[in-house]
Amino acid sequence: MPVPSRQSNTARIVIAKTALDGHWRGPQLVAHALGEAGYEVELIGMRQADEIIATASERQADLIGLHIGGHVAVAEQVIEAIRAALPEVPIFVGGVVPPWAKKRLEAMGVEVYPPGSQMRDIINAAARLTGFDPVG
Amino acid sequence: MTADEREKTWTSASGIPLQPFYRAADVPAEHRADADGAPGEGAFLRGAYPTGYRTKPWRIFQLSGFGKPEDENERIKMLLAHGETGFIMEHDRNTADHMYDADHPEVVARARDVGLTGAVMQSVNDIAICLDGIPLEATYGHAGGGVVQHAPFALAGYWTVARRRGLDLSRLPGTGQSDFNLTYLGCPPKQQIPTGPGLRFNIDIVEFCAEHLPRWVPVSIAAYNAADSGINAYQELGALFANAIEYLDEVQRRGKMEVAQAARGVGGVSFRLSMDLFEEACKMRAARKMWSTLLRERYGINDPKVANLRIHCVTAGSRMTYQQPLNNIVRGTLMGLAGILGGIQSLGVSGYDEALSIPSEHAHQMSVRIQQILQNETNLTAVADPLGGSHYAESLTAELIERGRAFQEQILEQGGYLACLDSGWLQARAAENQVAEFEAQDKGEQIVVGVNAFAEDISPHEIDGFMGVDDAYDIAIERVKGVRANRDGARASAAMQALAAGCRGDDNVMPLMMEAMDAEVTLGEVGDVFRDAFGDWQSPIAM
């Protein structure tokens, strides 16, 4: 797949699913909303840590979104792997994340958006984490 | 009335315009005769059976399972002891959906996910543990196998356990699923056989059941998985019947059994129940009339034993909120009520902790108790089709039928239901509805209590959700290695080769699957045979 040339007036977000669970409603909605807000968004589906890292490096992602769908222990491993390989790229997480798991992930320094999160908060987070606000 | 109230457009959840009230003249003339008919006859608008719930209340039928087969066995027995009147097996999504054994690299990378979404069942031995002590001859069981490619394994595994107990398969009650809406729309696996071979498997199962398991519902079209992906109420009707047409046309083309007999098997379907109470209730009424009309007009079938559609429903998981989860007990009750007003035959109520985890024991008990309260304390079971004759309900039912048929025709014009999954057209309809709904919530036009309105919580009642177990993966690895080492290797190899040859030919794969299961061929081995024979479906969506 050819790498699109990087536009200077936006930030690029790669969104992946860490679990082998094909439910796509959440990540699709978030990707759509971030796209509408002016970000370049790439959805890459169910991927292992090394695949997410490879895509994020190749695309020079400014932010990585992980849909974790309740699978917390595996998400923690993926976050640690990304942190080690791409320490400068911020990560945010969405999906079915019970309160206890939300606290654990937040303690790792990632932002967590469980079901019922408002899209404007997710878009604001993208602006804050990438340092780029297409809306201005 | 304020100016705002006058200007606001009132619609059903699917966008059908609603009047402030209805009169007799609002019911289309051609619908009135059915509306004045009786349940259990004619177009079955008013119910599948003449006596409604008096003879038999709806079946309490909850999805359940996690961890090791032993954990799932314990949960199923708990639910049956609490009054569940059937049971649904849930296979671990990581392994079952993709047909990987636990030592497949994609699973190894996610070892700690294994068992979170169902029990790991990699051979007939695991299925036997999950079913241990459950009287299969007397209990209506759902064998799992929601994902199309997994169904032959799940069904043949369940039937092999029954056969090993010496049970007569021809008397075995239960249901399969093999659900295109789950597999290709709602939750596509990472690797999945294409839709064409999927259809072939489903009709193989239909034909096999006709011959060997007449009391088993071979495949069940679960519109739930289309609806919870975004498909609206009338689209759900249209997509479900376009799916049924695909099955029945294929039965007709193969010419090995009567379409009527296949229709009897296929005519146990499932829908999602959501929060628009009257639209959801009327959707069930509409579905029954659409089914009997479809069978008469397209296949010339008038047999009332075939034309009475039986409906299972599950309340919408996506309507259960993360915030203030106890509110979901009310939501589960109302969605269940909609189905009961619509005259459904079985019901699963989502756990109140649905947005946090798979159900805890207490959430599961609550789902059963909600249904028991509805069955025993409300007098809802006394009179069939209580909405029948309401000007509003009949008008809405007629409108859902008209729009549902139009959507069905749109699908047929594009080559049919499978073609619309392959092209991504149905997925695109789901996605556009998701976006529209989310925007309505974001603007506050659609209120979700506790989420985008009334979010104050004076007594925060935080629940943990279900924690699961942590030994499912290790046990799964031990067991899959054990089964490969201890079985009759020559018999297992021969069964795999026969299955591979069968997949490349035209014969029914189910007898070959029965032998493969009895020979203790594993989930991943069957998956490899399917992948070699059929290749992978190319998903039109990025998942």
Side-chain angles (χ1 to χ4, degrees):
Chain A
M1 193 188 285
V3 181
S5 63
R6 193 179 171 74
Q7 294 173 18
S8 57
N9 62 341
T10 186
R12 191 173 286 164
I13 305 172
V14 168
I15 298 180
K17 290 173 65 73
T18 56
L20 279 183
D21 179 329
H23 288 100
W24 54 283
R25 198 168 59 97
Q28 197 275 343
L29 265 175
V30 169
H32 175 85
L34 290 170
E36 292 281 294
Y39 294 95
E40 280 182 40
V41 185
E42 192 170 350
L43 269 176
I44 61 171
M46 291 172 261
R47 299 290 165 187
Q48 296 181 31
D50 54 350
E51 297 171 302
I52 298 169
I53 292 164
T55 307
S57 320
E58 195 183 288
R59 303 286 198 271
Q60 296 176 287
D62 300 293
L63 174 62
I64 295 171
L66 300 176
H67 177 260
I68 73 163
H71 307 263
V72 178
V74 171
E76 286 174 330
Q77 292 168 359
V78 172
I79 290 165
E80 278 167 16
I82 297 172
R83 278 281 161 74
L86 304 168
E88 73 289 358
V89 183
I91 299 168
F92 66 1
V93 164
V96 173
V97 189
W100 62 267
K102 183 168 183 281
K103 286 180 199 127
R104 246 165 63 178
L105 294 171
E106 283 169 346
M108 296 176 79
V110 300
E111 297 197 12
V112 181
Y113 294 89
S117 297
Q118 298 303 294
M119 202 57 90
R120 69 183 79 88
D121 295 332
I122 296 173
I123 294 168
N124 289 342
R128 189 171 59 249
L129 293 168
T130 62
F132 179 80
D133 187 353
V135 189
Chain B
M1 200 190 278
T2 68
D4 276 357
E5 278 165 336
R6 269 194 301 272
E7 279 168 25
K8 178 178 168 183
T9 312
W10 294 79
T11 66
S12 73
S14 73
I16 295 172
L18 298 178
Q19 302 170 192
F21 69 98
Y22 286 78
R23 298 180 194 274
D26 295 315
V27 179
E30 68 278 8
H31 183 76
R32 285 183 206 148
D34 291 325
D36 202 33
E41 63 177 52
F44 296 96
L45 170 74
R46 307 207 57 199
Y49 300 108
T51 51
Y53 295 130
R54 288 186 177 198
T55 321
K56 197 168 136 190
W58 66 91
R59 173 177 291 117
I60 301 174
F61 206 39
Q62 296 287 143
L63 188 61
S64 55
F66 61 93
K68 304 179 292 300
E70 289 88 340
D71 299 315
E72 182 154 322
N73 176 259
E74 198 180 309
R75 182 65 70 90
I76 289 171
K77 284 177 174 166
M78 181 208 100
L79 285 166
L80 291 169
H82 279 68
E84 191 187 34
T85 48
F87 68 93
I88 305 178
M89 289 168 76
E90 178 81 332
H91 294 245
D92 168 57
R93 178 143 270 153
N94 297 275
T95 45
D97 288 9
H98 320 271
M99 300 205 77
Y100 297 150
D101 282 338
D103 53 0
H104 188 287
E106 289 285 355
V107 181
V108 175
R110 299 167 175 95
R112 296 188 66 192
D113 278 355
V114 171
L116 278 179
T117 47
V120 191
M121 290 183 267
Q122 302 168 97
S123 77
V124 67
N125 303 339
D126 294 333
I127 298 173
I129 295 170
C130 184
L131 296 172
D132 185 53
I134 300 167
L136 302 184
E137 66 282 9
T139 317
Y140 190 88
H142 181 315
V147 164
V148 169
Q149 66 180 358
H150 182 239
F153 179 92
L155 290 168
Y158 189 104
W159 299 335
T160 301
V161 169
R163 189 185 264 175
R164 285 180 174 185
R165 284 189 197 172
L167 300 177
D168 178 1
L169 291 191
S170 73
R171 301 201 47 77
L172 199 68
T175 182
Q177 187 173 336
S178 311
D179 172 8
F180 278 86
N181 290 313
L182 176 71
T183 309
Y184 300 99
L185 204 170
C187 188
K190 193 167 173 72
Q191 280 193 291
Q192 163 66 31
I193 60 171
T195 51
L199 177 65
R200 177 244 174 126
F201 277 3
N202 277 8
I203 306 309
D204 283 352
I205 294 166
V206 169
E207 290 174 357
F208 186 81
C209 286
E211 195 175 341
H212 302 285
L213 290 110
R215 296 182 65 196
W216 194 274
V217 175
V219 298
S220 176
I221 304 171
Y224 177 96
N225 294 298
D228 233 31
S229 307
I231 292 294
N232 73 30
Y234 62 80
Q235 293 172 337
E236 200 182 344
L237 290 164
L240 185 138
F241 292 113
N243 188 163
I245 288 169
E246 196 90 60
Y247 290 166
L248 297 182
D249 282 3
E250 181 65 7
V251 167
Q252 201 163 41
R253 191 193 65 77
R254 284 165 55 150
K256 290 184 184 156
M257 67 184 290
E258 291 294 320
V259 177
Q261 195 185 0
R264 172 72 190 159
V266 169
V269 300
S270 95
F271 285 103
R272 181 184 79 152
L273 290 167
S274 194
M275 289 297 288
D276 187 328
L277 191 88
F278 289 104
E279 179 163 84
E280 296 298 287
C282 291
K283 185 171 77 186
M284 307 306 149
R285 308 176 78 248
R288 284 189 299 268
K289 182 167 165 178
M290 286 177 76
W291 177 242
S292 60
T293 308
L294 170 71
L295 291 183
R296 191 182 63 247
E297 289 178 356
R298 192 176 178 97
Y299 303 103
I301 297 169
N302 293 300
D303 182 352
K305 286 198 191 72
V306 178
N308 69 335
L309 187 71
R310 286 95 53 225
I311 303 173
H312 169 61
C313 280
V314 181
T315 64
S318 63
R319 289 297 171 273
M320 296 304 196
T321 63
Y322 185 88
Q323 293 74 15
Q324 303 182 28
L326 295 189
N327 293 348
N328 295 327
I329 296 172
V330 181
R331 294 191 177 97
T333 307
L334 289 171
M335 291 192 274
L337 176 62
I340 294 153
L341 292 173
I344 62 176
Q345 276 59 57
S346 79
L347 174 64
V349 173
S350 321
Y352 63 78
D353 53 6
E354 171 88 16
L356 285 83
S357 66
I358 63 165
S360 65
E361 283 189 2
H362 185 259
H364 249 150
Q365 175 185 296
M366 199 68 234
S367 295
V368 174
R369 293 288 177 265
I370 287 170
Q371 300 204 45
Q372 290 164 329
I373 291 168
L374 290 167
Q375 283 186 351
N376 296 290
E377 297 188 22
T378 62
N379 217 15
L380 271 167
T381 51
V383 177
D385 193 29
L387 299 183
S390 145
H391 306 319
Y392 172 36
E394 297 301 355
S395 165
L396 188 55
T397 302
E399 184 67 27
L400 284 163
I401 291 170
E402 192 179 324
R403 289 180 181 231
R405 273 199 199 143
F407 194 71
Q408 175 190 306
E409 288 311 310
Q410 267 185 291
I411 294 171
L412 296 185
E413 281 160 17
Q414 295 174 77
Y417 174 72
L418 262 52
C420 286
L421 290 172
D422 289 337
S423 70
W425 187 82
L426 273 166
Q427 294 87 337
R429 301 288 75 72
E432 72 194 9
N433 289 350
Q434 290 170 15
V435 169
E437 181 171 279
F438 210 89
E439 284 173 357
Q441 287 178 14
D442 218 37
K443 289 180 197 146
E445 292 163 5
Q446 186 183 338
I447 299 292
V448 185
V449 172
V451 178
N452 67 355
F454 314 111
E456 303 78 12
D457 196 359
I458 52 161
S459 120
H461 192 96
E462 190 167 293
I463 57 172
D464 283 334
F466 185 63
M467 303 297 277
V469 294
D470 55 15
D471 59 350
Y473 177 76
D474 293 339
I475 300 284
I477 290 286
E478 202 177 286
R479 289 205 174 135
V480 78
K481 289 187 171 157
V483 77
R484 288 186 205 135
N486 297 325
R487 67 190 175 191
D488 176 344
R491 185 183 170 197
S493 295
M496 276 186 264
Q497 281 168 18
L499 181 63
C503 286
R504 291 196 161 82
D506 290 333
D507 289 345
N508 194 312
V509 295
M510 291 313 291
L512 302 165
M513 276 303 305
M514 292 294 285
E515 168 56 18
M517 294 311 288
D518 203 39
E520 299 176 9
V521 174
T522 69
L523 172 70
E525 290 168 341
V526 174
D528 285 340
V529 168
F530 291 171
R531 283 183 279 274
D532 282 350
F534 304 118
D536 289 339
W537 184 60
Q538 296 305 310
S539 171
I541 50 173
M543 289 299 139

